[in-house]
Amino acid sequence: MKIPETLKLTTIGVFAALTIILNIFPLPSIGYVNLSAVIETIAAIVASTGFLGGIGVTVGSLVYNLYRPSTLFLHAGFLTMASGAISIALIMYRRYEIIILAITLLGLFFIAPGDVYVPVWTLWDKYLAVILVFPAISLVKKTFKKELNKKYLFFTVFLVSFIGLEMDAMMGNLLFGLYGYSILGLTPDQVADLYIPFAIAAAWERVIVAFISTLITVPLVIAVDSNPRIRWLIYRG
């Protein structure tokens, strides 16, 4: 099926608008994770064809960030949501390039705050996310085939969502290591101490947000799949 370019642009525009709205009127947060991150999963999975949903989130977060720069990351703040959404889109297209992106973000973070030693173990959930890419892509192959396999759908969406949120966090870590900590008035020596108390709690926060994202996304995927006019939105291949 050939998709009209106008329809692609409309889809991008819809998810860009939703992203802007959720940034202007954010949902409640769970710990330090804002629930507006649910749009990363919804958009990138429900409109995975052509990366349309991921592009929509990227455009929306960019436009919002130009209007209201991030308190911590300034005009680069849009990169966090963009990283999460595009990473999910990559998994939906079964592209292992996401692993290269993740390793690059992790590597750059460890050299970003100068000579400060950030305990390697504090980013354990990020390493786990990289490992989980392999089973996630395998599940996507089983779930999003010519016909939607609902047997694996919930766990597939949850796993993909968790990885996307971790990619969002990896980009946030990098931006924080580059200059975010200085905006808070911290010294490089204080950066390492900041990560230790949140090493476990932050991961659980993302698990909860991934679960909520899954509860919203799964019925949307089923609804899209059941409508012949819009089921092209879900990537098949």
Side-chain angles (χ1 to χ4, degrees):
M1 174 183 178
K2 184 173 177 56
I3 306 166
E5 295 301 317
T6 52
L7 191 52
K8 292 181 180 179
L9 290 174
T10 299
T11 303
I12 291 172
V14 167
F15 285 107
L18 286 173
T19 302
I20 292 171
I21 291 171
L22 284 175
N23 275 294
I24 294 176
F25 306 104
L27 296 170
S29 298
I30 294 178
Y32 287 89
V33 182
N34 195 307
L35 269 179
S36 61
V38 298
I39 193 63
E40 297 175 20
T41 300
I42 296 170
I45 292 181
V46 172
S48 54
T49 297
F51 291 76
L52 298 179
I55 294 171
V57 171
T58 299
V59 172
S61 56
L62 173 60
V63 170
Y64 176 78
N65 218 235
L66 290 174
Y67 161 70
R68 185 176 295 176
S70 167
T71 303
L72 191 58
F73 305 134
L74 305 179
H75 287 294
F78 79 96
L79 289 173
T80 55
M81 291 191 74
S83 295
I86 295 299
S87 295
I88 292 174
L90 282 170
I91 296 176
M92 292 298 293
Y93 262 95
R94 307 186 299 257
R95 305 292 299 190
Y96 288 96
E97 285 87 342
I98 181 181
I99 296 175
I100 299 174
L101 174 60
I103 293 174
T104 300
L105 291 176
L106 286 171
L108 290 174
F109 166 72
F110 279 112
I111 64 174
D115 297 325
V116 178
Y117 172 72
V118 176
V120 175
W121 69 269
T122 60
L123 271 65
W124 65 273
D125 53 317
K126 313 298 185 298
Y127 315 137
L128 176 62
V130 174
I131 295 172
L132 290 176
V133 168
F134 295 96
I137 289 179
S138 177
L139 280 170
V140 166
K141 290 179 181 179
K142 294 178 180 179
T143 306
F144 294 90
K145 299 185 293 185
K146 187 175 182 180
E147 297 297 329
L148 184 68
N149 189 336
K150 298 177 184 178
K151 177 181 178 181
Y152 302 107
L153 183 57
F154 189 92
F155 188 65
T156 300
V157 173
F158 173 76
L159 194 57
V160 172
S161 178
F162 175 73
I163 294 171
L165 288 168
E166 288 291 352
M167 291 296 295
D168 179 323
M170 287 183 207
M171 178 59 75
N173 280 350
L174 175 59
L175 296 176
F176 182 78
L178 288 173
Y179 60 86
Y181 69 92
S182 62
I183 295 177
L184 292 178
L186 300 174
T187 65
D189 290 329
Q190 293 174 309
V191 173
D193 294 336
L194 193 63
Y195 278 82
I196 294 174
F198 298 108
I200 303 298
W204 275 111
E205 290 166 3
R206 281 184 280 276
V207 166
I208 295 172
V209 175
F211 182 74
I212 294 172
S213 299
T214 303
L215 291 177
I216 299 172
T217 304
V218 166
L220 288 175
V221 169
I222 294 174
V224 169
D225 180 69
S226 64
N227 189 328
R229 293 185 177 182
I230 58 175
R231 72 194 307 255
W232 59 267
L233 283 167
I234 304 174
Y235 174 70
R236 301 287 198 277

